[in-house]
Amino acid sequence: MNFKLSLAFGASIALLCGAAAAQESPTLRKIKETGTVQIGSRDTQIPFSYKTGGESAPIGFTNEICLKVVDAIKARLGMQKIEVRYTLLNSTNRIPLVQNGTVDLDCATTTNTVQRQQQVDFAPSHFVTNITAAVKKNSGINSIADLQGKTVATVAGSTSMQLLRGFRKTENIEVQEIAGKDTADAFLLLASDRAVAYVLDDVQLAGLIANQPNASDYKLLKDVLRQEPYGIMMRKEDPEFKAIVDQAVTEMMKSGAIDKLYAKWFMSPIPPRNVNLNFPMSDAVREAYRNPNNKGV
């Protein structure tokens, strides 16, 4: 190779390296440099992401999916060990803390909506839920329409609150809203009779009720405000990182691993009280696993 060809070859290599560096995932680079993955979690979202004690690490269905993603990240980066660090999030701060890099993966019960997709990316949906209401059996309330003139609890910043407001306009009913800071706080509003109903995802309501000492006092209404998909959130404009997350989640669905995980968290006794939610997989969830997608509502 003559001198001019050598210079041209070297320049080409430099350009290729520069392009590769420009396309490198900022999230993967941060994880490699720090040796840590930052996971956004919750402390009361049974059985998806919750804590069994003040100092314990979060556990749950979505949390375990994210730990499989961490394994995929380790393989991609060729790292023997990556430390997992948790940050407790809530409905109002979860998107900003994903966007600003405080957390790399939000691993809980965030609904994948078209509006949120403008701010963050979502992995293939790992659950599909129905938005309904929990009430006390002795309340005399049997439908959403029966909430006319009543006080209803929701979680601040949740899609449930938006749906309730939409229902009020469509059905021309008047209710008083009272918001809890998280799912457990909102349930206390119902339990203490400060609200006669609690609007939330059916599976989360089932989990909260199952862990009450007087669980038989509550029921879920049959009315459904909307069906919603849950997805793991991550920052936008990081296609390399998203591809790793998507592949890890999709492989769990295609291999059947996620079915076993579902049985563990929804059809078996779970900590801390060894309660079995007995929440069979719905047709909507089965379809999400057969045909993985991240379509928003």
Side-chain angles (χ1 to χ4, degrees):
M1 183 181 294
N2 62 36
F3 181 69
K4 289 183 178 180
L5 284 175
S6 178
L7 283 177
F9 181 74
S12 297
I13 293 297
L15 285 171
L16 288 171
C17 291
Q23 295 172 7
E24 182 185 21
S25 162
T27 307
L28 290 178
R29 182 172 63 248
K30 179 172 76 75
I31 292 171
K32 189 169 186 177
E33 290 174 353
T34 62
T36 62
V37 170
Q38 304 286 346
I39 288 182
S41 62
R42 310 292 190 274
D43 54 0
T44 61
Q45 289 185 345
I46 299 170
F48 297 93
S49 177
Y50 67 103
K51 299 177 69 174
T52 57
E55 301 302 319
S56 63
I59 59 174
F61 179 67
T62 316
N63 187 71
E64 286 206 40
I65 296 173
C66 280
L67 293 180
K68 292 295 184 182
V69 172
V70 173
D71 288 340
I73 294 170
K74 284 193 290 189
R76 171 65 176 81
L77 294 177
M79 299 176 67
Q80 292 291 320
K81 181 180 179 182
I82 292 179
E83 181 183 358
V84 174
R85 293 182 182 174
Y86 291 100
T87 298
L88 287 176
L89 305 181
N90 57 45
S91 295
T92 55
N93 68 14
R94 55 188 169 184
I95 290 179
L97 293 182
V98 168
Q99 290 177 311
N100 69 17
T102 300
V103 298
D104 303 313
L105 297 166
D106 172 52
C107 303
T109 59
T110 300
T111 298
N112 180 349
T113 70
V114 173
Q115 182 179 15
R116 287 172 177 166
Q117 286 181 2
Q118 299 174 13
Q119 303 172 284
V120 293
D121 272 333
F122 285 89
S125 301
H126 58 273
F127 198 85
V128 182
T129 189
N130 294 315
I131 305 301
T132 187
V135 299
K136 289 185 176 179
K137 290 180 179 178
N138 63 3
S139 66
I141 295 171
N142 297 302
S143 70
I144 297 292
D146 292 339
L147 297 178
Q148 170 67 29
K150 305 293 196 303
T151 299
V152 179
T154 58
V155 178
S158 69
T159 57
S160 302
M161 181 175 284
Q162 299 165 23
L163 290 171
L164 180 59
R165 290 170 181 167
F167 183 86
R168 287 165 56 189
K169 292 178 182 179
T170 304
E171 301 297 324
N172 196 30
I173 69 169
E174 290 296 328
V175 300
Q176 298 296 318
E177 295 175 15
I178 182 170
K181 62 180 174 56
D182 57 31
T183 54
D185 186 51
F187 192 88
L188 284 175
L189 299 174
L190 172 62
S192 62
D193 296 320
R194 284 176 284 174
V196 299
Y198 177 13
V199 176
L200 190 68
D201 316 22
D202 59 355
V203 64
Q204 291 195 70
L205 290 172
L208 289 163
I209 291 171
N211 280 277
Q212 301 301 311
N214 57 337
S216 61
D217 291 350
Y218 299 90
K219 69 177 181 179
L220 300 184
L221 299 184
K222 294 182 179 179
D223 293 352
V224 175
L225 293 177
R226 185 170 71 174
Q227 199 170 72
E228 294 189 344
Y230 292 164
I232 295 167
M233 279 199 304
M234 66 203 92
R235 283 179 290 286
K236 288 183 73 68
E237 299 177 358
D238 195 340
E240 186 179 354
F241 183 69
K242 177 171 169 51
I244 294 171
V245 178
D246 286 1
Q247 183 177 2
V249 174
T250 298
E251 285 182 355
M252 290 187 69
M253 295 173 179
K254 295 298 186 182
S255 69
I258 202 164
D259 296 79
K260 295 178 181 178
L261 203 60
Y262 189 101
K264 172 182 176 180
W265 289 102
F266 295 94
M267 301 298 294
S268 306
I270 59 173
R273 299 179 60 236
N274 290 321
V275 172
N276 186 341
L277 298 187
N278 193 24
F279 202 90
M281 189 181 295
S282 68
D283 291 340
V285 172
R286 292 184 192 281
E287 178 58 25
Y289 295 167
R290 280 195 296 264
N291 297 291
N293 71 86
N294 65 344
K295 297 176 183 176
V297 292

